[in-house]
Amino acid sequence: MAEEPLPLPHNRNNAVTRGVWRGEDGLIHKVLTHRRTDAPPQWVSSADPRFWNYWRREADVYTAGLPERLGLGAPKLAEARELPDGDIELLLEDVAGTHGEDLTMEDIAAVARALGEAQGAERLSSEPWFSRGFLADYSTTRPADFALLEDDEAWSLPLIAKHFPPEQREALVRLHRNRDRLLALMARLPRTVCHLDVWPNNVIRRPDGEVVLLDWAFLGDGAVGEDAGNLVPDSFFDWPLRPGFAEHLPELVTGAYLEGLRAAGWKGDPRLAVLGIRASAVKYDWMMPWCLRAARDDLHRAYGTGEAVDPDARYEARAAGLAICARWADEAVDLADSLGL
C-alpha cells in the first residue's frame, strides 16, 4: 500500500474509513476497513449490506459503475485493491474544480438540478447493498441531550442568545416534537436512489460545469427530495455565513431540483418532491441540542481537521441553517395536512 504523504480532511470518527490521502501517483487513495474498533458508537461500521454504514458500500458503488448508471458525476475509478488484511483501497481521480466552501449559490443550484435529473429518470432498480432506512437510523442515533431544549440556562448562554432568538427556539422545539411524524412522512414519499450525504464537502464542480459527487458510502433508498433537502442546511453548518445564502439558497435549490425532475420526465406530484425537501429537515433534529452542549462546554472544532474555529462565526452560520430546518419542518407539516398525509 502507498505511503500517506498528504492526508486529506475526512470524518475520522467513521469506522469504515482507515484513511484518505493524495498519493504521489496523482490519485486520491481511500482505504475502506472493517477492522476499526476505536469509533464512537454513532459511527460504528457493519457487515450488513443494508445498514447505512456498511463498510464496503463505496467500493461496491464504484466497481458497479453506479454513478454513471444513475447519470451522476463521480471521480473516475483507477483501481480497487483488495488488501492482504481484507481492507479495500480505492484509487480515484483527483478531480479539479470548485469545491466545498468555494461553491457559489449557482454551483449548489446546479447540484440540485443534477440530482433532480438523475432521480426523476427512474433508470435503476435496487442493489442488495443499497442502504435502507438511512434517515431514521442516522438522525436518531446522533448524540444529543434533548432535555437541553427545555433548559433556559442553556439558551441564555451568550453565544446562543446572540444567534438564536426566542421564536427560533420555539420552532426548533416544534421540530423535535414533530420528529416522528416527519420521519413517517419521509418513509411514505415516492422512493428513489439517493446519495444521502450531499453537502459542499462532497461536491466538486468541474471547470466545464459538470457536478461531481464524492463519498458514496451511504447510498441507497431514499425519498424524492431528500438529497436536495440535505444540501441546503448542510451548506451552512461548517463555514462562515456568506451574504445572500440564507435568503436565496432554499428556493434556488428547490426550484432547480424540480426543474431537474421535470427535465427527466418525472410524472409525480411536484408537491410531494417539495414535501421531501422540507421534511428532510428532520435529519438535523439533533443539532440544536448538540450546539447547546458545545456552547456550554466550549467545544468548537472544524470538521475533518479538529482545528479550533471562531465560535461566533460558527454559530451565526449554524443558526442560519437551523432556522431553515425549523421553517421547513413547519412547512412540511402544513403541506402534509393540505395533502391529507
Side-chain angles (χ1 to χ4, degrees), residues 186-237:
M186 291 296 287
R188 292 180 60 187
L189 288 173
R191 313 317 293 166
T192 188
V193 181
C194 287
H195 179 282
L196 297 172
D197 198 15
V198 182
W199 68 300
N201 259 11
N202 283 341
V203 172
I204 299 174
R205 196 173 190 202
R206 297 185 193 268
D208 66 2
E210 183 193 19
V211 170
V212 174
L213 299 182
L214 313 178
D215 197 353
W216 295 77
F218 301 158
L219 178 134
D221 172 76
V224 64
E226 187 168 341
D227 276 338
N230 187 77
L231 179 60
V232 173
D234 227 349
S235 294
F236 293 85
F237 292 147

Side-chain angles (χ1 to χ4, degrees), residues 86-124:
D87 290 350
I88 300 173
E89 183 176 9
L90 300 177
L91 281 68
L92 299 164
E93 173 194 7
D94 188 0
V95 180
T98 307
H99 173 242
E101 65 180 311
D102 294 325
L103 293 168
T104 65
M105 282 191 285
E106 178 190 36
D107 293 326
I108 295 170
V111 176
R113 182 181 172 95
L115 289 166
E117 290 177 353
Q119 292 170 353
E122 300 180 358
R123 58 165 61 93
L124 188 71

Side-chain angles (χ1 to χ4, degrees), residues 42 46 85-86 92 96 115 135 140 145 179 198 202 213 218 224 233 248 277 284 297 318 339:
Q42 69 272 21
S46 174
D85 55 14
L92 299 164
L115 289 166
L135 184 63
T140 61
D145 179 3
R179 180 176 73 175
V198 182
N202 283 341
L213 299 182
F218 301 158
V224 64
H248 303 298
I277 293 172
Y284 293 107
D297 298 342
R318 291 203 164 164
L339 294 169

Side-chain angles (χ1 to χ4, degrees), residues 12-60:
R12 288 173 168 80
N13 284 327
N14 194 334
V16 306
T17 308
R18 197 168 97 192
V20 184
W21 65 94
R22 180 174 284 110
E24 295 179 356
D25 54 9
L27 297 172
I28 301 300
H29 293 241
K30 184 173 186 177
V31 175
L32 312 180
T33 184
H34 61 293
R35 300 179 303 109
R36 277 185 56 184
T37 59
D38 60 338
Q42 69 272 21
W43 287 110
V44 296
S45 65
S46 174
D48 178 356
R50 297 165 67 90
F51 185 67
W52 68 271
N53 212 25
Y54 172 50
W55 78 272
R56 62 169 296 149
R57 181 176 294 112
E58 190 164 19
D60 292 333

